[in-house]
Amino acid sequence: MGIFLGAFSYPLHIYHSSALFLMNLVPNRIAYQSLFKIIFYLMRQNLLKDYLIYLESQMQEPDLSIEISGFKMGNPLMLASGILGTTIASLRKVFEAGAGAVVTKSIGYEPRAGYENPTLVEVHGGYLNAIGLSNPGIREFYNELLESKIDDLPLIVSLFGSKKSEFRYMTSLLDKLNIKAYELNLSCPHVMGFGNEVGQDPKAVRRIIESVKEETKKPVFVKLSPNVKDIVEIAKVAENSGADALTVINTIRAMSIDIETFRPILANKIGGLSGPAIKPIAVRCVYEVSKEVKIPVIGCGGIMNWQDVIEFFLAGARAVQIGTAIAYEGLSIFEKIKKGIRDYLIIKGKKSVRDIVGLSHDF
Amino acid sequence: MAFPMIFNKPRIVKVLKVIDESPTVRSLIFKDDLCSKAKPGQFIMVWIPGVGEIPMSVSMMKDGLAGLTVRKVGEASNALFNMKVNSMIGIRGPYGNSFNPIIGKVMIVGAGTGLAPLMPLLDILTDKSASIDMIVGGKTVEEFIFMNKIKEILSKTESKIVVTTEDGSYGIKGLVTDAILPILKEKRFDMIYTCGPELMMKKVFDMAQEFNIPIQASLERVMKCGIGICGSCCIGKYNVCKDGPVFDFQMLKEVKDEFGLFKRDHSGKRVMF
Ligand SMILES: Cc1cc2nc3c(=O)[nH]c(=O)nc-3n(C[C@H](O)[C@H](O)[C@H](O)COP(=O)(O)OP(=O)(O)OC[C@H]3O[C@@H](n4cnc5c(N)ncnc54)[C@H](O)[C@@H]3O)c2cc1C
Ligand SMILES: Cc1cc2nc3c(=O)[nH]c(=O)nc-3n(C[C@H](O)[C@H](O)[C@H](O)COP(=O)(O)O)c2cc1C
Ligand code: FES
């Protein structure tokens, strides 16, 4: 039944949505407050029923769904790679908590134990991690996928590797399965020979993307690093090599030292910074990249709330990924953000999230 | 201070006291406010600078002090075992959920360093429970830790202690699980608490199911972040570091396809028990 329906006491969110709707119609705060008081009173007396039914029929739920190169998502919030993405069971849990899509932890050709602990340490404004691309290897991962039910899961597999033959093998093995897209991690900031070394080299980027595209018809996203001279240059190379979308950005090389023992805290000494501290950098990267390429950009880095998501959209992102915020907020963050975006779109009179993509480019 | 405090970063503490519990197990005592307020079953990530960082249960909390109890098994635990008074270690936490102490007739089943998180629980239970049946198992007599302390704590309440060793060097010869069955047949319990090798806990869980007794078991999985984001400690849809380490009857049922069957190594690969 309609959201405005019901007798004497309406659920709270109804007052909330009508308030948001009104804010959009009246000129100033005082007018809005008096108007809202009257309406609130009438609602309590149940006198506005017919009008509310009419209003609701006029007021559309904003559309949160998006599409990236043929891959449809119910909402634009994705789980970022490496966060809770080790098993299908935990990815499913994140999906059920409200994510529009989930990205696995980056999988490589061989099993990797990753670095010694400490692999993670909190700093002001975020976390440093040097997990070190730990993963069970493509064959074990493939076997687990085979045993799992994934048909209804908007599952994106993140892959890393050091050469194109590895990427080729991994894609061809996985392609028979019902995964929805790939994300190539060409940007891990702290593992030699993988990630960033590959992602900095335009020729390597081209070779890898082209070879993956030869093995699959599914969308291929490419995850970029901010730890490069010019992210726009690499973004263009990725686009020209056939990437269907770009994920911007991965973590930023950083370090933390313990002053009591004089030692770097991470066993690997250097790690990748994530969390709110990197958001302005990520927004800048999304802005610069999305201005220069035609393929969709997926924003990532430091998103903590719905306002951050809107900022990424305005900067030019068509979807976003959320990682570190889960350490602060837990999985309830997905529903909170969805609600925030919805209310924002109502206030701004926008029918769809798609309508605010890149609006900051106009200025 | 303009910035909020950072919680998930090692706090450097000095080892104040080292206690030999057995030839392979030692307890380290240190001063830390947060850990001294930990709940029974919670754990900390212990940084041994230059060596590694490993999860350890808080085995003692009292008046601003806290303790951990480590068995030397590999590199990091050996280094921790060899810490001296005044050595510096880093700790973060306490993390995870905790045992839920109940009022009633309880059974506690522990083995090896599995006793570490059970000790603070025992302290609380002596004030609360109607009776405590404590079953402690091990391979051989040298492995036993905390026995005097357990006897002392339990002397304050209606209780019974059963000890088993596989080689018969102490108590009844056999497995802990063999000793439990006759007790369960004889007496009705309101709760079973257990911590120890997973195969033992699995058998205890099976018996709890058979006799329809609620259970709380403390699990172990490989831990890296300790705060529920890296996913290395997952079992089923749960993260042991955040949703656990203490699993109740319902949660254990939900992870029955993994519990007692396999765990994951540092790469995430499945390893059978
Ligand atoms: C919640 C929790 C509480 C624990 N409490 C205690 C305790 O009170 N006393 C105690 O002696 N031990 C405890 N352990 C086990 C302890 O963490 C391991 O014995 C220790 O990590 C071994 O490290 P190592 O480098 O010495 O051994 P390694 O040679 O590296 O490994 C030996 C075995 O220890 C386990 N292990 C290694 N690294 C980790 C890790 N990062 N996380 C989890 N397991 C690991 C693995 O099963 C491995 O096969 C606990 C584990 C967990 C998960
Ligand atoms: C613990 C941890 C592990 C990560 N592992 C990966 C990974 O395996 N592959 C990858 O592409 N990105 C990985 N990342 C980077 C995130 O996907 C994301 O790009 C980054 O954290 C920025 O987003 P955030 O601030 O929302 O976390 C990891 C990040 C963290 C914190
Ligand atoms: S240790 Fe990282 S999620 Fe549990």
Side-chain angles (χ1 to χ4, degrees), chain B residues 38 50 55 82 100 201 254:
Chain B
N82 287 320
N100 180 15
M201 292 196 285
E254 286 173 87

Side-chain angles (χ1 to χ4, degrees), chain A residues 66-335:
Chain A
I66 56 139
E67 186 188 321
I68 297 177
S69 320
F71 170 53
K72 292 195 180 68
M73 288 162 50
N75 72 73
L77 311 179
M78 306 162 67
L79 173 74
S81 174
I83 286 77
L84 294 180
T86 9
T87 61
I88 298 304
S90 41
L91 288 162
R92 178 170 292 282
K93 185 167 80 171
V94 179
F95 170 57
E96 282 166 3
V102 290
V103 187
T104 67
K105 187 158 184 45
S106 295
I107 306 294
Y109 187 70
E110 297 286 354
R112 270 179 70 96
Y115 295 131
E116 290 287 329
N117 279 343
T119 43
L120 179 118
V121 58
E122 187 177 354
V123 295
H124 284 299
Y127 283 87
L128 279 181
N129 91 80
I131 300 278
L133 293 175
S134 63
N135 82 98
I138 187 69
R139 279 158 290 261
E140 163 88 2
F141 180 73
Y142 172 74
N143 287 335
E144 282 206 40
L145 279 181
L146 275 184
E147 295 163 25
S148 317
K149 211 175 98 349
I150 56 168
D151 287 343
D152 62 329
L153 200 62
L155 181 67
I156 298 164
V157 177
S158 169
L159 299 173
F160 75 91
S162 59
K163 39 185 189 286
K164 70 173 189 187
S165 57
E166 292 179 358
F167 280 98
R168 204 185 268 280
Y169 175 80
M170 293 191 285
T171 325
S172 62
L173 186 63
L174 293 178
D175 217 46
K176 295 167 254 167
L177 303 176
N178 194 1
I179 55 176
K180 309 299 183 296
Y182 299 95
E183 183 177 89
L184 309 182
N185 176 5
L186 304 184
S187 47
C188 183
H190 49 70
V191 181
M192 292 289 280
F194 298 99
N196 228 15
E197 271 81 46
V198 182
Q200 248 162 0
D201 174 1
K203 286 203 198 90
V205 169
R206 174 177 294 278
R207 273 200 304 274
I208 288 168
I209 297 173
E210 283 175 352
S211 57
V212 168
K213 287 294 287 182
E214 278 167 28
E215 298 294 334
T216 183
K217 298 231 149 40
K218 295 176 179 164
V220 175
F221 309 160
V222 175
K223 188 163 175 182
L224 300 182
S225 167
N227 307 300
V228 292
K229 257 193 251 118
D230 181 6
I231 192 169
V232 175
E233 182 201 331
I234 300 287
K236 282 183 180 159
V237 171
E239 178 178 41
N240 294 332
S241 314
D244 296 288
L246 302 171
T247 304
V248 176
I249 56 176
N250 208 316
T251 54
I252 297 171
R253 278 167 67 79
M255 187 168 186
S256 174
I257 298 167
D258 175 58
I259 62 168
E260 290 295 332
T261 58
F262 315 150
R263 287 175 183 276
I265 297 176
L266 296 177
N268 187 53
K269 300 188 176 81
I270 289 177
L273 179 62
S274 64
I278 71 169
K279 197 195 77 184
I281 299 173
V283 170
R284 184 268 296 170
C285 291
V286 167
Y287 180 84
E288 287 184 341
V289 168
S290 63
K291 273 188 148 179
E292 298 295 328
V293 300
K294 291 190 188 63
I295 52 178
V297 173
I298 302 164
C300 177
I303 290 172
M304 296 293 289
N305 51 36
W306 65 265
Q307 289 93 334
D308 294 340
V309 174
I310 301 290
E311 198 177 338
F312 272 96
F313 271 87
L314 296 174
R318 226 175 289 184
V320 293
Q321 296 186 349
I322 295 171
T324 305
I326 291 169
Y328 296 96
E329 292 268 331
L331 292 180
S332 63
I333 189 162
F334 288 100
E335 286 303 335

Side-chain angles (χ1 to χ4, degrees), chain B residues 87-211:
Chain B
S87 299
M88 285 193 277
I89 55 173
I91 49 171
R92 57 186 177 94
Y95 293 129
N97 67 357
S98 57
F99 286 113
N100 180 15
I102 63 136
I103 300 165
K105 299 196 187 94
V106 305
M107 174 187 269
I108 303 179
V109 187
T113 43
L115 287 170
L118 292 172
M119 294 306 285
L121 173 71
L122 201 55
D123 258 335
I124 295 181
L125 285 178
T126 41
D127 298 336
K128 281 202 161 191
S129 300
S131 76
I132 301 176
D133 280 52
M134 178 98 197
I135 326 300
V136 188
K139 281 202 179 68
T140 142
V141 63
E142 285 93 54
E143 275 189 7
F144 280 77
I145 56 172
F146 298 141
M147 284 318 285
N148 291 334
K149 217 163 158 184
I150 292 174
K151 283 177 194 157
E152 190 196 313
I153 298 175
L154 287 183
S155 68
K156 293 178 212 152
T157 181
E158 193 193 321
S159 62
K160 183 171 159 191
I161 306 180
V162 177
V163 176
T164 66
T165 46
E166 283 171 35
D167 64 1
S169 55
Y170 185 23
I172 306 168
K173 184 172 176 355
L175 297 171
V176 224
T177 39
D178 302 332
I180 297 174
L181 198 60
I183 305 176
L184 286 178
K185 281 185 178 152
E186 195 175 288
K187 185 172 167 187
R188 173 81 211 160
F189 289 91
D190 301 307
M191 181 64 78
I192 300 176
Y193 298 97
T194 180
C195 185
E198 192 153 318
L199 289 177
M200 175 198 89
M201 292 196 285
K202 171 79 167 93
K203 281 193 195 151
V204 176
F205 173 58
D206 289 343
M207 285 189 236
Q209 268 186 310
E210 193 185 321
F211 289 87

